[in-house]
Amino acid sequence: LIAGTNVYVNNIVAGDGSIDTLMVVAKGTKNVTSVVDTNQVGQGSVTPVSTPSGYINIQSTTIVAAEFELRALRDIFVKTTNNLTLNGFVGGLEGFNKAVNITIDTGSATLTVPSGIVSASGELTLRAGSISSSSGAIFIANHIDAQASGAILLNTLTATLDATSSGSGAIRIN
């Protein structure tokens, strides 16, 4: 999925249960125009409003892909309620450029990043039951906020970091 504006995805379904490469790109080359009802009565005063684009929003109960390539000019939001294994790149439009803000939320399920780069120039927010990454994975942002109910293992490149485990499990930051 490649769009000049935003990309919104709700409930990804693959026939065999797996996607080889999930590529989503929100270029943000065009503004999105919507109409605002300024008098809130549904008629009369409506004003067109143009807003910047370049956002990815993926919400699915399950996201299974061998490789991810999620690229946006601005923010990336991923929410699932099942375990998520992320290999690949999550960040800006080209090369290793950064998105602005990234949120990955698996609720009480596990977030695993065996190999990949997750790169934001602003805030990188991680929410999961547990978070693990291998030596082939790195989380890059100005600020990283990681919260889990279990263990957290992150390889990071960041100016500041908040890591909280509300249950049992070690927090290890490299």
Side-chain angles (χ1 to χ4, degrees):
L1 297 170
I2 300 173
T5 57
N6 302 316
V7 178
Y8 299 98
V9 178
N10 190 10
N11 284 329
I12 298 169
V13 178
D16 65 355
S18 181
I19 298 168
D20 293 332
T21 301
L22 177 61
M23 177 191 280
V24 179
V25 180
K27 293 181 179 180
T29 56
K30 304 175 200 171
N31 284 353
V32 175
T33 302
S34 58
V35 177
V36 176
D37 182 1
T38 55
N39 65 7
Q40 299 180 349
V41 294
Q43 54 186 218
S45 273
V46 292
T47 304
V49 176
S50 181
T51 56
S53 64
Y55 298 90
I56 293 174
N57 185 311
I58 299 172
Q59 297 186 47
S60 183
T61 53
T62 302
I63 306 171
V64 179
E67 184 176 347
F68 287 80
E69 189 170 343
L70 306 179
R71 296 179 172 275
L73 179 63
R74 292 187 173 78
D75 297 350
I76 299 170
F77 178 85
V78 177
K79 182 170 179 59
T80 184
T81 54
N82 287 298
N83 294 342
L84 176 62
T85 300
L86 195 153
N87 289 296
F89 183 80
V90 179
L93 291 176
E94 296 179 4
F96 296 110
N97 288 350
K98 300 172 182 178
V100 177
N101 298 300
I102 297 172
T103 298
I104 302 173
D105 184 345
T106 65
S108 60
T110 300
L111 170 62
T112 306
V113 184
S115 173
I117 298 171
V118 180
S119 184
S121 61
E123 180 91 11
L124 173 55
T125 303
L126 305 171
R127 302 284 184 268
S130 64
I131 304 168
S132 66
S133 61
S134 70
S135 61
I138 187 148
F139 295 87
I140 304 167
N142 184 54
H143 178 75
I144 297 174
D145 180 11
Q147 293 183 17
S149 55
I152 298 173
L153 170 59
L154 293 176
N155 299 311
T156 68
L157 180 57
T158 186
T160 60
L161 171 91
D162 292 319
T164 305
S165 174
S166 62
S168 62
I171 297 176
R172 185 171 156 198
I173 308 296
N174 298 318

